[in-house]
Amino acid sequence: MSSAPRVVVLDYGSGNVHSAVRALQRVGAEVELTRDTEKVLEADGLVVPGVGAFGAVMDALKAIDAPRWIGRRIAGNRPVLGICVGHQTLFERGVEHGVAAEGMGEWPGEVTALPEDAVVPHMGWNTVRPAAGSVLFDGIEQERFYFVHSYAVQGWNFDSTIPSMAPPQVTWAHHGADFIAAVENGPLSATQFHPEKSGGAGMHLLQNWVGSLR
């Protein structure tokens, strides 16, 4: 019987997910691309990728009931990792071309356009400023990661006064303005960049995440 962590990459129509599947397999996970409810809920880890427009990705996720599945996993302390627009949809809402769409609201914040004086899309390698004690960035605090995006969450306002709740760990990057590059919040983690396209550093990050599932 395999002792490898079982990871589901959520299949909801998002493009180019096979690179994420292959990267997770390379770091030791048993990976399946599926939207099967039982497998999504029972896997050791769930990866939610995303490319394209915020509103379109949210519509596709809602069409297969994914927000409810993700909420059930979080409530049950079962790990979830969002990537790129999959990261963005975990916030309260996104605004693209003046049109607002509701996100999943797991974290406060609004996904908005990067500053006009920045070159967009932000495409290529960039450094990040990891949160102290980060599990995802353990051993790769000084590395660069690969970004492809024109929108991001550029502020953070989280009520950390609730005694029973540890505040999320927020990692920042800069492109025209500071923006959130990653969040780690109990079972829920997400990255604005693409770890599966980030070479050795991205593989190390995925290995850190998969290792936390054991």
Side-chain angles (χ1 to χ4, degrees), residues 143-156:
E143 298 291 342
R144 298 164 71 88
F145 299 88
Y146 190 80
F147 293 83
V148 183
H149 64 117
S150 299
Y151 297 82
V153 179
Q154 297 168 63
W156 179 260

Side-chain angles (χ1 to χ4, degrees), residues 115-199:
E116 292 182 0
D117 58 352
V119 176
V120 291
H122 174 213
M123 181 181 298
W125 299 84
N126 201 350
T127 55
V128 300
R129 306 193 301 276
S134 166
V135 171
L136 290 182
F137 294 93
D138 183 30
I140 46 173
E141 294 86 354
Q142 306 302 318
E143 298 291 342
R144 298 164 71 88
F145 299 88
Y146 190 80
F147 293 83
V148 183
H149 64 117
S150 299
Y151 297 82
V153 179
Q154 297 168 63
W156 179 260
N157 181 23
F158 184 84
D159 184 358
S160 60
T161 62
I162 304 173
S164 62
M165 293 181 62
Q169 296 171 304
V170 181
T171 290
W172 295 86
H174 186 89
H175 185 75
D178 281 350
F179 66 88
I180 295 176
V183 183
E184 298 165 72
N185 184 199
L188 183 59
S189 301
T191 67
Q192 175 63 69
F193 56 85
H194 288 270
E196 77 281 8
K197 298 179 181 179
S198 295

Side-chain angles (χ1 to χ4, degrees), residues 12 50-60 85-86 88-89 94 96-97 101 151:
Y12 66 96
V51 294
F54 183 103
V57 169
M58 275 303 305
D59 286 345
V85 184
Q88 295 178 356
T89 58
E96 295 192 13
H97 306 295
Y151 297 82

Side-chain angles (χ1 to χ4, degrees), residues 8-63:
V8 162
V9 176
L10 186 61
D11 181 12
Y12 66 96
S14 179
N16 195 27
V17 296
H18 295 287
S19 57
V21 170
R22 290 192 297 269
L24 288 158
Q25 288 171 334
R26 287 198 296 271
V27 299
E30 179 184 313
V31 188
E32 185 172 2
L33 177 64
T34 183
R35 64 179 66 181
D36 178 89
T37 304
E38 184 176 351
K39 291 178 179 178
V40 168
L41 293 175
E42 295 303 320
D44 297 317
L46 173 67
V47 174
V48 183
V51 294
F54 183 103
V57 169
M58 275 303 305
D59 286 345
L61 289 169
K62 289 176 181 177

